[in-house]
């Protein structure tokens, strides 16, 4: 198992390219199940989660071939309709095969994901959505078994805006008979990318208003090529790396419009920011100002940036209150950051971070993807050496993070380790 050894204190400077968005790729790859044939996906990030999705699809009869950041996907040979526990337990996004398999093949058997590293993450909205579209759903020995001769259009109004449930219902509805209306649909950029891709495949989707989608089911879709959108969370993480280390960096190949809430908060924290069509430049202040953050659905501040923001506030000039309204229990990084000297009080979903003058290197443990990112960020500024164990979490969602950080001047090494 690999670990990172980080010697803190280097200011980051220079430019970094942002990779394709993990969470867009994880939605668009299963969407390819909706039409038989060949697809070319470009700007595909090289990540463990993408490999897991490729394995899952390969188990269904899909052939994927990667060359650099291009992935060829051939769905002509699909002959199985099951997502096994062994893969779903590794990655919850596996649930995305439910909608496409059901609508195109009339059958799907998908393992229930169970809890994730930081707590329960229900899938009731996915299941209720499929039922409303006319599927017969049975839960059997940890598996969801869904069947339908042909799904039919319906109206679905989500109580909670859910990225995954919106994606799954969309992928099911595009081949259903009749019209489906989705109210309170998620509008995260990854869902917009999915809608655009489905339209390119021949789906009839009308954006009635920002959170209402009307889908007129069609009999058949066609394969299409697509370039993955940039990863807004990777982009935000690098911006915080620049800010935290007192650096001056430019991130390229990103979409600043997807990052408005993060950029605004960084400006409040005292960073000077300049944005162009596809780049963001950041110059950090002498000392970061304390800025409260509450996570919200898009376009609010993303829950996927909450851990990194806590790392930034750990060294701020004053106290900041960070509230996560999406996942109440996503705070496994807090006790680890405290091992580095951060002063944080956690009450349910609210972290009160009292900025300290310095952090000090120690051994810390990754527990999930974004928690790992926050520990690396803290390690970049902690005095002395920080070891971040269990970095396999980071490989799920950040392509070559240590190489990109090193190119910006960080002292970070990956070493294999027996520690667990
Ligand atoms: N929810 C329900 N029932 C459901 C589904 C969701 O109550 O059936 C609730 C959740 O408990 C949560 C809220 O709805 O409180 C939003 O969850 P959502 O369904 O939007 O999350 P997701 O689709 O499971 C995606 C990302 C996550 C990201 C969340 C929120 C992917 C593959 N994952 O998850 O990304 O945190 O949206 O933006 O797109 C990550 O990349 O590190 C990550 C965890």
């Amino acid at each position: 198992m690999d670990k990172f050894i980080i010697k803190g204190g280097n200011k980051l400077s220079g430019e970094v390219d942002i990779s394709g968005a993990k969470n867009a790729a994880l939605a668009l790859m299963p969407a390819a199940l909706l039409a038989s044939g060949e697809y070319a996906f470009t700007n595909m990030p090289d990540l463990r989660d993408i490999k897991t999705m490729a394995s899952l699809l390969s188990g269904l009869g899909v052939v994927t071939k990667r060359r650099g950041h291009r992935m060829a996907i051939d769905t002509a040979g699909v002959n199985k309709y099951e997502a096994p526990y062994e893969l779903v337990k590794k990655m919850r996004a596996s649930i995305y095969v439910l909608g496409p398999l059901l609508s195109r093949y009339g059958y799907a058997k998908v393992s229930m994901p169970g809890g994730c590293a930081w707590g329960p993450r229900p899938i009731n909205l996915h299941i209720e959505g499929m039922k409303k579209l006319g599927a017969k759903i049975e839960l059997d020995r940890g598996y969801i078994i869904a069947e339908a001769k042909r799904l039919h259009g319906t109206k679905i109004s989500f109580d909670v805006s859910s990225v995954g449930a919106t994606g799954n219902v969309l992928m099911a509805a595009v081949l259903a008979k009749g019209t489906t209306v989705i109210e309170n649909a998620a509008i995260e950029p990854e869902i917009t990318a999915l809608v655009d891709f489905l339209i390119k495949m021949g789906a009839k989707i009308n954006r009635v208003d920002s959170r209402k989608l009307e889908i007129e089911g069609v009999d058949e879709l066609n394969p299409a090529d697509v370039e993955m959108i940039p990863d807004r969370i990777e982009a935000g993480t690098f911006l915080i790396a620049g800010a935290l280390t007192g650096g001056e960096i430019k991130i390229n190949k990103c979409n600043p419009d997807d990052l408005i809430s993060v950029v605004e908060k960084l400006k409040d924290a005292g960073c000077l920011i300049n944005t162009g069509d596809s780049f963001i430049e950041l110059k950090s202040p002498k000392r970061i100002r304390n800025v409260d953050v509450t996570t919200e659905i898009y376009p609010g501040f993303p829950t996927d940036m909450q851990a990194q923001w806590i790392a930034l506030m750990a060294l701020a000039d004053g106290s900041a209150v960070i509230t996560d309204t999406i996942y109440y229990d996503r705070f496994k990084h807090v006790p680890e950051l405290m091992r580095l000297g951060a002063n944080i009080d956690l009450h349910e979903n609210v972290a009160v971070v009292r900025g300290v003058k310095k952090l000090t290197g120690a051994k810390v443990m990754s527990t999930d993807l974004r928690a790992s990112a926050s520990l690396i960020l803290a390690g970049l500024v902690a005095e002395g050496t920080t070891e971040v164990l269990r970095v396999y979490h980071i490989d799920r969602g950040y392509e070559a993070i240590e190489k990109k950080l090193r190119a910006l001047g960080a002292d970070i090494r990956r070493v294999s380790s027996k520690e667990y």
Side-chain angles (χ1 to χ4, degrees):
M1 188 139 333
D2 292 351
K3 69 178 176 186
F4 284 137
I5 300 182
I6 308 168
K7 289 208 178 94
N10 293 5
K11 278 189 186 182
L12 299 195
S13 68
E15 303 192 13
V16 61
D17 286 349
I18 298 306
S19 299
K22 165 180 83 85
N23 289 346
L26 291 177
L28 271 62
M29 289 170 75
L33 290 166
L34 288 164
S36 214
E38 293 174 12
Y39 299 70
F41 283 17
T42 48
N43 199 28
M44 285 291 276
D46 188 7
L47 301 171
R48 219 157 56 91
D49 272 7
I50 302 300
K51 291 191 182 102
T52 305
M53 184 56 86
S55 306
L56 174 56
L57 294 177
S58 140
L60 307 177
V62 176
V63 178
T64 60
K65 280 194 195 127
R66 179 186 261 286
R67 199 188 261 178
H69 290 111
R70 182 182 190 277
M71 183 182 272
I73 302 179
D74 187 345
T75 55
V78 173
N79 58 2
K80 290 203 182 62
Y81 317 103
E82 181 174 333
Y85 178 62
E86 288 62 39
L87 290 173
V88 180
K89 75 171 184 205
K90 279 195 195 166
M91 188 187 68
R92 302 178 58 82
S94 309
I95 188 82
Y96 269 139
V97 299
L98 177 64
L101 283 178
L102 181 60
S103 60
R104 171 121 159 82
Y105 296 99
Y107 179 85
K109 182 173 175 185
V110 179
S111 171
M112 304 264 286
C116 87
W118 69 76
R121 282 172 71 187
I123 50 157
N124 57 310
L125 299 174
H126 301 242
I127 294 179
E128 281 160 25
M130 298 305 144
K131 279 189 184 159
K132 279 205 133 181
L133 285 160
K136 194 173 124 254
I137 305 261
E138 236 182 276
L139 301 181
D140 183 33
R141 280 167 278 191
Y143 277 81
I144 305 161
I145 299 172
E147 278 178 273
K149 275 220 172 71
R150 180 155 186 205
L151 297 173
H152 57 70
T154 186
K155 183 176 161 191
I156 294 172
S157 185
F158 287 121
D159 294 339
V160 181
S161 167
S162 158
V163 172
T166 301
N168 236 336
V169 165
L170 255 172
M171 291 190 274
V174 286
L175 287 177
K177 192 169 170 52
T179 304
T180 300
V181 175
I182 308 179
E183 285 178 350
N184 198 21
I187 54 163
E188 272 64 7
E190 297 73 26
I191 290 296
T192 303
L194 176 64
V195 170
D196 292 343
F197 180 55
L198 292 170
I199 291 174
K200 213 173 170 198
M201 289 175 70
K204 293 197 172 145
I205 305 173
N206 176 20
R207 295 168 165 111
V208 182
D209 61 44
S210 74
R211 295 202 171 269
K212 185 169 173 183
L213 297 170
E214 198 176 79
I215 304 126
E216 195 189 320
V218 294
D219 291 338
E220 223 180 8
L221 294 169
N222 49 268
D225 298 340
V226 67
E227 181 183 339
M228 231 33 73
I229 59 167
D231 196 306
R232 65 193 166 108
I233 307 301
E234 189 200 15
T237 304
F238 274 97
L239 289 177
I240 291 189
L244 195 52
T245 58
E248 195 170 338
I249 66 165
K250 181 177 181 197
I251 58 167
N252 295 317
K253 295 194 182 175
C254 66
N255 185 359
D257 286 348
D258 293 346
L259 278 153
I260 289 173
S261 57
V262 175
V263 163
E264 286 310 309
K265 289 290 177 185
L266 282 166
K267 283 182 183 166
D268 293 347
C271 298
L272 293 177
I273 293 194
N274 176 34
T275 57
D277 272 359
S278 61
F279 69 83
I280 304 178
E281 290 170 323
L282 175 143
K283 187 168 186 246
S284 53
K286 276 221 165 61
R287 179 114 196 242
I288 292 289
R289 283 202 291 265
N290 51 328
V291 178
D292 298 348
V293 148
T294 298
T295 68
E296 309 273 4
I297 53 174
Y298 190 82
F301 192 93
T303 172
D304 292 344
M305 288 297 301
Q306 176 258 103
Q308 299 89 314
W309 195 262
I310 291 187
L312 180 66
M313 288 301 114
L315 285 175
D317 189 12
S319 301
V321 179
I322 289 106
T323 310
D324 200 321
T325 67
I326 310 293
Y327 296 116
Y328 277 54
D329 34 19
R330 192 181 199 178
F331 288 98
K332 290 276 193 279
H333 40 286
V334 164
E336 298 298 310
L337 288 170
M338 288 171 73
R339 285 179 53 73
L340 300 175
N343 180 348
I344 308 171
D345 268 333
L346 186 60
H347 305 280
E348 298 181 342
N349 63 329
V350 181
V352 178
V353 186
R354 293 184 185 85
V356 292
K357 285 255 160 60
K358 65 166 191 177
L359 298 175
T360 314
K363 271 189 191 173
V364 286
M365 201 173 69
S366 293
T367 47
D368 63 74
L369 173 57
R370 308 303 170 188
S372 311
S374 78
L375 297 177
I376 292 174
L377 291 173
L380 293 175
V381 274
E383 219 172 75
T385 302
T386 298
E387 293 191 20
V388 183
L389 308 182
R390 297 191 184 179
V391 299
Y392 59 90
H393 291 290
I394 207 88
D395 296 331
R396 292 187 60 176
Y398 290 88
E399 181 174 326
I401 191 168
E402 74 279 23
K403 290 192 188 128
K404 291 189 184 187
L405 286 170
R406 254 201 319 269
L408 293 170
D411 187 342
I412 174 169
R413 278 185 302 130
R414 179 190 288 260
V415 296
S416 68
S417 153
K418 292 212 165 62
E419 283 169 289
Y420 186 76

